[in-house]
Amino acid sequence: MPRRLFGSFVEHLGRCVYTGLYEPGHPTADADGFRRDVLALVRELGVTTVRYPGGNFVSSYRWEDGVGPVDQRPARLDLAWHSLETNEFGLDEFMRWVGKADVDPIMAVNLGTRGTAEAVDLLEYANHRGGSHLADQRRDNGAADPYGITLWCLGNEMDGPWQVGQRSATEYGRLASQTAKAMRRFDPDLELVACGSSHLGMPTFGAWERDVLTEAYEDVDLISLHAYYQPVDDDLASFLASAEDMDRYIDAVTAIADSVGAIRRSTKKIMIAFDEWNVWYQSAAPSNPPSGEDWPVAPPLLEDHYSVADAVVVGGLLISLLRHSDRVTAACQAQLVNVIAPIMTEPGGAAWRQTIFHPFARTARHARGAVLDVLRDGSTTSTDRFGEIDAVDAVSTWDDDTGEMTVFLVNRVVTTPAEVTVDVTGARLAGIIECVTVGGTDLHAKNTADGPDHAEPRPNGTARSADTGVQLTLPPASWTMLRLRATDVTT
Ligand code: AHR
């Protein structure tokens, strides 16, 4: 299973970078101005990759503004979020931060206001060893070694009317194809992501993917999917089942990509980068950017405070991503700090975990090795949005190196517990390592900087092991992780 499933996203948006990752003068700031308290939480979260610098921001961003002596960098208007970008933090700072956080970068290029030339310039600055103008600039700026960034996003949400430089599918597909070809002249082994639809509800969904891939099929490796979930009309049952939507979305894009491939008689398969996903209360006030004369620096934007129910949904979405890991080879929870994020900070103060931190951290730590097929056979539940669905969703992983089998489960029924038998016939079960649950109670509770931590996984004492399986009770509206010691597993 690709470890890149546990990626995250840092955009120059609100306080994600400034007073999030980066706050010189903070009591925990290191010599680079990076908050060490945030770095510690990022490592605990288990994030493997981080996409940067946007998001909508990238579509009017000039990467050159963010390199070189900091006191000479220009302040610019950020047209995406109506903010002032000081450019104190740019590519070189990000790459230093990436090294300290021990994650891999995913870099996005601006195909909104800019094009192939600037994308190739950025690639040369980042990845060429030296001896050319831009690579030598990087060296002069203190980074002697090339960054070796391998995964690149060709723009962001180029179908969206809100995107600076929105294009038609064919226009964008051609630009993505040309840019990809040019970037591959520098390095044929780059992995390149074309923009899919901004979400499943876009009126051009489907046709967009088909037309973009018709232009760029042989030039790109992945296509992006973005999805944000929130309860609609207080319909908690459908919200808890958000993974159904994610499943259907992934299956639909996979089918479209494969149909374009079949028409081209191509043996190549396009993979999926689910490079923005999360719970996001988009209708809430913190989502509205400033307007008018006001262009603030790092205003608080999209600072959703998550509930226990949101944490259960995030756990469910991770199950969907794992289930599709044969095609989804990269994913990024959006975003990492302060902006619809698992980690929150107070300027000059504490950094703390939101409820959604926990299912992500546990899944990232324990979902390892191969993803196993789980046959679900049990009761169903009825939802307004998705109709009749399995009451319990589940996926399992098996790590041959450690002999650990981990089962992730969500009970999507709001009112009743689920009695579950995890049948591991075909493997030898040697015992339960751990069984923890999030949810079941206090579904509306939210964390704050001062605690308590409502979604801290708590031991689920109901798990009982027999020779071929485990019996356990899942509380209503809950996420559970069951870790087993098992041998002789057939994958
Ligand atoms: O993650 C917040 C925003 O959501 C991103 O900038 C954009 O790509 C998406 O619409």
Side-chain angles (χ1 to χ4, degrees), residues 9 11 13 55-56 81 156-157 228 276 280 302 335 340:
F9 176 32
E11 176 168 5
L13 193 183
N56 298 339
W81 301 105
N156 177 71
E157 294 189 350
Y228 292 102
E276 287 186 34
W280 176 7
L302 283 61
Q335 300 191 2
I340 43 173

Side-chain angles (χ1 to χ4, degrees), residues 228-245:
Y228 292 102
Y229 299 99
Q230 68 180 103
V232 178
D233 298 331
D234 291 328
D235 177 2
L236 182 57
S238 298
F239 180 51
L240 287 173
S242 296
E244 290 289 311
D245 180 88

Side-chain angles (χ1 to χ4, degrees), residues 426-449:
R428 195 188 303 271
L429 187 59
I432 297 169
I433 304 170
E434 182 189 27
C435 184
V436 290
T437 289
V438 170
T441 55
D442 296 333
L443 286 180
H444 297 292
K446 298 177 177 183
N447 295 349
T448 61

Side-chain angles (χ1 to χ4, degrees), residues 212-346:
V212 167
L213 289 178
T214 298
E215 296 296 332
Y217 196 91
E218 299 301 340
D219 306 313
V220 301
D221 305 286
L222 302 99
I223 187 156
S224 70
L225 276 65
H226 292 178
Y228 292 102
Y229 299 99
Q230 68 180 103
V232 178
D233 298 331
D234 291 328
D235 177 2
L236 182 57
S238 298
F239 180 51
L240 287 173
S242 296
E244 290 289 311
D245 180 88
M246 189 178 245
D247 286 343
R248 293 172 194 191
Y249 190 9
I250 295 168
D251 291 344
V253 175
T254 303
I256 295 164
D258 287 350
S259 80
V260 176
I263 290 165
R264 303 176 64 86
R265 293 163 183 78
S266 177
T267 51
K268 171 178 174 178
K269 292 273 185 233
I270 297 288
M271 297 294 156
I272 285 172
F274 216 123
D275 55 21
E276 287 186 34
W277 68 268
N278 206 351
V279 173
W280 176 7
Y281 288 78
Q282 295 199 44
S283 44
S287 288
N288 299 329
S291 58
E293 296 287 301
D294 193 18
W295 293 83
V297 175
L301 285 173
L302 283 61
E303 298 202 1
D304 282 4
H305 280 170
Y306 290 114
S307 67
V308 172
D310 298 330
V312 174
V313 170
V314 162
L317 295 172
L318 286 162
I319 288 176
S320 172
L321 291 171
L322 284 166
R323 179 166 39 242
H324 290 95
S325 59
D326 56 331
R327 290 304 282 261
V328 181
T329 58
C332 305
Q333 188 181 36
Q335 300 191 2
L336 184 58
V337 186
N338 289 329
V339 175
I340 43 173
I343 299 169
M344 295 299 287
T345 68
E346 294 177 337

Side-chain angles (χ1 to χ4, degrees), residues 464-488:
R464 298 275 173 272
S465 122
D467 279 355
T468 56
V470 175
Q471 306 236 313
L472 74 162
T473 306
L474 309 178
S478 65
W479 171 91
T480 291
M481 179 185 75
L482 171 66
R483 294 170 56 211
L484 305 171
R485 183 79 55 216
T487 55
D488 304 334

